[in-house]
Amino acid sequence: MKRLRVTGPVIMIMLFLLPLHVVYAEGLGNARLSLVEGDVQIKTEDSSDWIPASVNMPLREGDNIWVPDDGKAEVQTLGGSQVRLDEQTSLEILDLDKNSSRFFLTSGRAYVNFMGDIRRIIQIDTPVSSVRAYDRAVFAIEVAGAGDTDILVFRGSVNAEDQSGATSVKAGWMLSIGGSYADLAPLGSVDEWERWNMDRDRRFEGRRFVSSGYLPEELDSYASDFDDNGKWVNVRDYGYVWTPTVAVSVGWTPYRHGKWSWIGGDYVWVGYEPWGWAPYHYGRWAFSSSIGWFWVPPARGAVYWGPGFVGWISTPAYVAWVPLAPGEIYYGHGYYGPHSVNIINISITKIVVKKIYRNVYVNNGVTVVHHDTFLRGRRVEFKHRENPFLKDRIHIGRPNIKPERETRMPVIRDIPRGKEPPQRIMDVRAREIKKQRSFVREKEKSVFAPNMPGRELKVKTLDAPKERKRKRPELPVQQQDIKRRPAMIPQVPEEKEKKALPAEKQQLEDKGALTRDRREIKQKQGRTIQAPDTLPADGTEKKGKRQPGPQDNQRSEKLQKPEEKNRSGRTGKIEFNAPAEGESSGKDVKQRKKEERPVEDRQMKRDKSRDTSDKGAPLRPVQQQLPEKMEKQEKRKMVREPNEEPKDEGPGRPGPVTPAEGSR
């Protein structure tokens, strides 16, 4: 193995010659995307178009964020303040350092949980107003399409102003500012968006984080990430260290689940783990056979953010890196605290590998990818059997690979065309907005006129909550058809409505129709004893009649029963003959009828099915049986004695018909 020595005097001399303005890409460690839901997009100064955003992506001045439909995003600043964005929201980052931040809300909704102190300030501008907070405050800003702004304060107070003046808005109130009005009203009911934000606030407030006792003060705002995703263990030589328990598996290694992205003039690691911010940009990693990989926090007072503390090897075929252990030197393009060397104006050619990178001997500790995978993010199968750090020459600093469009993307993902920002959002230029409006840190000065004393804003105070100006933008026609239009109910034609009815209802309606037909027949029977003409083939009595057929005579004997309601629902008066000599009468007749009824009922049911089977022929009327009945009744009367009285056949059962009754 080649032994290469570091020429210490050369490095020391060159460090003294470094000019003070030579620093790394400024502002990369001051804010990150701590939450990304949906197809959130970002436009940076490094990219010429909108690209997909990723969790744990560092943010800097000049970045534009767009949250489309069904999306959410959260920006976390260095001090722990959070700015959450709802769908259809556009936010531009104008100024950003470790103690202050300024944003421009072009449209949409932003919820701000500001962890203020005497050193920090946050300013959020809108097209018609500017809002500043100096102390601890929780507030929301909503911008309508025309730029009208609603400022809602839930905790603390904020300073709000427009070109006509400034005022203070306290908790429990909402200030609405437009081109010609300023209304102050009490807060209304909490909506779903605000409720979601308040629930998320409870994750960070009112909790005593265990990690706060092990982290330096500068990293205390990330204590929730450590508590929720790992544990602290006491390790010999290092003290208390943190080991992850979430989003790790067998064979897991630091700096593997993510992507190197070109941001701010350097290759920056974007970790996809939910905790993948502080452990990848602060401190160092080490390995123990008892607990596996663990993270060693930086010492108090020596907390410096870095793009990714690794050692590099870069060849035309592949790129490899290994996590740096505590005390190992990081060579970067800028100063990143103790145990780092700024190589912008330094040439280092000799390094002793054995004494520097301890993690190269850890099983699966070195990550090797194909050159195209590193450049474009597309996975290319590449097998490397030997450890490149024990074979090839170590590369000092980041790889000298010219970035492409995919290299600038923190994650490789396709964005649907319908989720892209509208043209009015694409035309916004953060740098131009920054020139038009000042960042004012003093409370007494005005944002719109920094050189003039501030004026009091004339406000109209209302007693009841006011309706908010912002409305959700109209969806495209295709999305309206899917989400907003009610289901179309087809119109059922009248001739088909009967078929669509339930079976029971249809049966009842058919039964009622048959009842009406039999009622009409009954009325005709009471008026005449003559055999009626036949009914028309369509089943209506008014349009035509038909002559009785041979089947009618066969049915006449079966239908000779007392007046009662049959199963078809039709009621007709049927004459019942008196018993002849030798036959029983009275109770005997009743008993005989009771015994024979089941058979007769079944016979009537079969007759009914036969009569209704042909849709063109209706049920035959009872009057067709009258000629034969009248003939039989006349014969029985001739046998009867002249002075014999008719017998009573019981209630509801008529006696024999006399000649006078028959004539009627």
Side-chain angles (χ1 to χ4, degrees):
M1 180 181 65
K2 292 184 179 180
R3 287 181 169 270
L4 305 176
R5 294 186 307 167
V6 177
T7 55
V10 175
I11 296 177
M12 186 176 298
I13 293 174
M14 296 303 296
L15 287 175
F16 282 113
L17 297 177
L18 284 177
L20 295 178
H21 67 274
V22 177
V23 293
Y24 65 96
E26 232 179 310
L28 278 182
N30 294 325
R32 64 155 175 164
L33 275 173
S34 53
L35 174 70
V36 173
E37 292 184 6
D39 296 311
V40 180
Q41 298 155 68
I42 186 171
K43 183 178 180 181
T44 67
E45 293 188 343
D46 299 312
S47 61
S48 58
D49 55 356
W50 293 84
I51 59 177
S54 172
V55 67
N56 294 320
M57 177 183 181
L59 302 174
R60 57 197 295 257
E61 295 180 5
D63 291 348
N64 296 0
I65 303 173
W66 166 249
V67 183
D69 291 331
D70 303 324
K72 292 185 181 71
E74 180 183 78
V75 177
Q76 183 183 22
T77 62
L78 183 61
S81 299
Q82 298 163 338
V83 180
R84 303 190 190 107
L85 309 177
D86 193 12
E87 60 180 356
Q88 292 290 319
T89 298
S90 174
L91 184 76
E92 289 74 41
I93 302 176
L94 303 183
D95 293 280
L96 196 62
D97 59 40
K98 65 179 182 178
N99 291 326
S100 59
S101 55
R102 179 164 71 117
F103 306 93
F104 188 87
L105 186 64
T106 305
S107 64
R109 311 172 74 180
Y111 181 97
V112 183
N113 189 344
F114 178 59
M115 305 291 182
D117 57 30
I118 57 176
R119 299 171 299 173
R120 296 189 176 98
I121 177 179
I122 186 171
Q123 176 177 321
I124 300 182
D125 298 332
T126 74
V128 299
S129 66
S130 179
V131 181
R132 287 176 290 173
Y134 297 88
D135 300 319
R136 181 79 174 89
V138 178
F139 59 97
I141 302 177
E142 301 179 0
V143 179
D148 293 356
T149 304
D150 292 333
I151 304 164
L152 303 86
V153 182
F154 305 102
R155 178 177 178 180
S157 63
V158 299
N159 291 357
E161 68 172 308
D162 62 5
Q163 295 193 9
S164 60
T167 187
S168 177
V169 185
K170 298 182 179 180
W173 292 89
M174 180 184 77
L175 178 65
S176 300
I177 298 178
S180 59
Y181 68 90
D183 297 335
L184 186 66
L187 289 178
S189 59
V190 178
D191 61 12
E192 183 180 356
W193 161 250
E194 295 163 355
R195 188 177 296 108
W196 177 83
N197 280 278
M198 294 176 181
D199 291 342
R200 186 165 176 82
D201 286 344
R202 296 187 186 97
R203 292 184 52 192
F204 309 101
E205 299 177 3
R207 289 179 58 185
R208 297 186 62 181
F209 297 105
V210 176
S211 300
S212 298
Y214 305 109
L215 292 171
E217 182 181 358
E218 295 88 341
L219 300 181
D220 187 58
S221 57
Y222 310 118
S224 61
D225 288 349
F226 291 97
D227 273 20
D228 297 339
N229 299 283
K231 60 182 179 179
W232 292 88
V233 183
N234 192 359
V235 177
R236 184 181 178 182
D237 298 333
Y238 295 109
Y240 279 95
V241 297
W242 181 81
T243 178
T245 58
V246 176
V248 294
S249 59
V250 178
W252 177 86
T253 300
Y255 298 99
R256 182 164 294 177
H257 186 53
K259 182 179 181 296
W260 291 101
S261 180
W262 184 263
I263 303 175
D266 205 346
Y267 281 109
V268 179
W269 179 255
V270 179
Y272 296 158
E273 298 96 343
W275 48 264
W277 174 252
Y280 287 144
H281 300 290
Y282 302 92
R284 299 289 195 271
W285 285 87
F287 183 85
S288 171
S289 58
S290 59
I291 63 174
W293 287 99
F294 57 87
W295 177 75
V296 182
R300 300 180 185 273
V303 180
Y304 289 83
W305 184 91
F309 294 107
V310 299
W312 293 98
I313 284 184
S314 179
T315 70
Y318 67 88
V319 178
W321 60 88
V322 63
L324 296 182
E328 294 180 346
I329 303 298
Y330 173 73
Y331 298 92
H333 290 70
Y335 179 69
Y336 297 99
H339 307 292
S340 71
V341 174
N342 185 351
I343 63 172
I344 293 179
N345 294 330
I346 296 178
S347 176
I348 300 177
T349 58
K350 296 183 180 181
I351 297 178
V352 179
V353 176
K354 186 176 181 180
K355 294 183 180 180
I356 296 180
Y357 298 150
R358 297 192 295 272
N359 289 330
V360 300
Y361 300 102
V362 177
N363 185 28
N364 201 34
V366 177
T367 302
V368 184
V369 298
H370 193 274
H371 181 275
D372 292 344
T373 301
F374 181 87
L375 185 63
R376 301 180 180 88
R378 305 294 180 182
R379 183 173 179 80
V380 178
E381 292 296 333
F382 179 77
K383 295 182 180 180
H384 197 279
R385 297 181 179 179
E386 298 184 68
N387 191 330
F389 283 89
L390 302 179
K391 174 186 175 183
D392 297 326
R393 180 179 179 180
I394 293 178
H395 187 85
I396 304 302
R398 64 172 182 255
N400 294 326
I401 300 177
K402 184 179 179 180
E404 298 183 0
R405 180 181 183 274
E406 292 82 0
T407 317
R408 297 179 172 89
M409 299 171 64
V411 59
I412 304 299
R413 185 174 70 246
D414 294 330
I415 299 295
R417 191 169 186 83
K419 300 290 186 177
E420 295 178 355
Q423 190 62 42
R424 61 183 180 85
I425 301 300
M426 292 184 177
D427 295 338
V428 174
R429 299 291 182 267
R431 293 295 182 184
E432 297 178 3
I433 297 175
K434 185 176 181 179
K435 296 178 182 178
Q436 298 172 2
R437 196 149 328 162
S438 302
F439 186 19
V440 179
R441 292 174 170 81
E442 297 82 2
K443 290 184 180 181
E444 297 78 13
K445 292 186 178 182
S446 171
V447 173
F448 292 90
N451 299 326
M452 298 180 61
R455 296 176 296 177
E456 187 70 20
L457 177 64
K458 296 181 180 180
V459 177
K460 179 182 178 181
T461 304
L462 305 178
D463 297 331
K466 184 180 179 181
E467 183 180 0
R468 303 180 189 180
K469 294 294 182 183
R470 181 183 182 270
K471 295 182 179 180
R472 195 173 299 278
E474 295 294 334
L475 296 175
V477 177
Q478 294 83 354
Q479 298 184 23
Q480 288 181 0
D481 293 340
I482 299 175
K483 295 185 177 181
R484 297 187 176 226
R485 291 183 181 176
M488 299 298 293
I489 303 176
Q491 299 294 331
V492 181
E494 295 183 358
E495 61 272 14
K496 295 184 179 181
E497 287 184 358
K498 187 174 181 179
K499 296 182 180 180
L501 294 173
E504 296 180 1
K505 186 174 181 181
Q506 182 175 351
Q507 185 176 4
L508 290 174
E509 291 187 358
D510 294 342
K511 185 176 180 180
L514 294 174
T515 304
R516 289 192 298 271
D517 294 341
R518 291 185 180 271
R519 189 178 297 113
E520 294 176 359
I521 295 172
K522 178 182 176 182
Q523 293 174 357
K524 292 184 179 181
Q525 177 184 353
R527 291 194 297 268
T528 178
I529 60 173
Q530 297 178 357
D533 296 330
T534 57
L535 295 175
D538 59 358
T540 59
E541 298 182 7
K542 297 180 180 180
K543 294 184 179 180
K545 299 180 180 180
R546 68 177 179 84
Q547 297 297 330
Q551 295 181 356
D552 299 332
N553 297 330
Q554 297 177 3
R555 292 195 189 92
S556 61
E557 297 179 359
K558 300 175 182 178
L559 296 175
Q560 291 179 6
K561 297 180 65 175
E563 181 181 5
E564 61 182 355
K565 187 175 181 180
N566 56 28
R567 295 188 181 183
S568 64
R570 298 170 61 179
T571 305
K573 184 175 181 180
I574 304 175
E575 302 205 4
F576 190 80
N577 294 327
E581 290 185 7
E583 294 182 352
S584 302
S585 62
K587 295 183 178 180
D588 295 336
V589 176
K590 289 184 178 180
Q591 184 66 23
R592 186 184 62 184
K593 179 187 175 184
K594 186 175 182 180
E595 294 173 357
E596 295 177 356
R597 182 174 297 173
V599 179
E600 294 175 353
D601 289 346
R602 290 195 296 272
Q603 185 66 31
M604 290 180 64
K605 186 175 182 179
R606 288 195 295 270
D607 294 341
K608 177 184 173 181
S609 63
R610 285 197 298 268
D611 293 340
T612 58
S613 61
D614 187 3
K615 296 182 180 180
L619 292 174
R620 293 179 176 85
V622 182
Q623 289 94 324
Q624 298 174 4
Q625 309 167 15
L626 292 180
E628 185 178 352
K629 289 181 180 180
M630 295 297 296
E631 184 178 355
K632 290 182 179 180
Q633 290 173 0
E634 292 294 335
K635 290 181 180 180
R636 287 173 182 160
K637 289 178 184 179
M638 297 297 294
V639 178
R640 210 179 272 173
E641 295 293 333
N643 297 329
E644 185 178 1
E645 294 293 335
K647 295 181 180 181
D648 186 9
E649 299 296 335
R653 187 173 294 178
V657 180
T658 62
E661 292 173 349
S663 63
R664 289 196 299 271

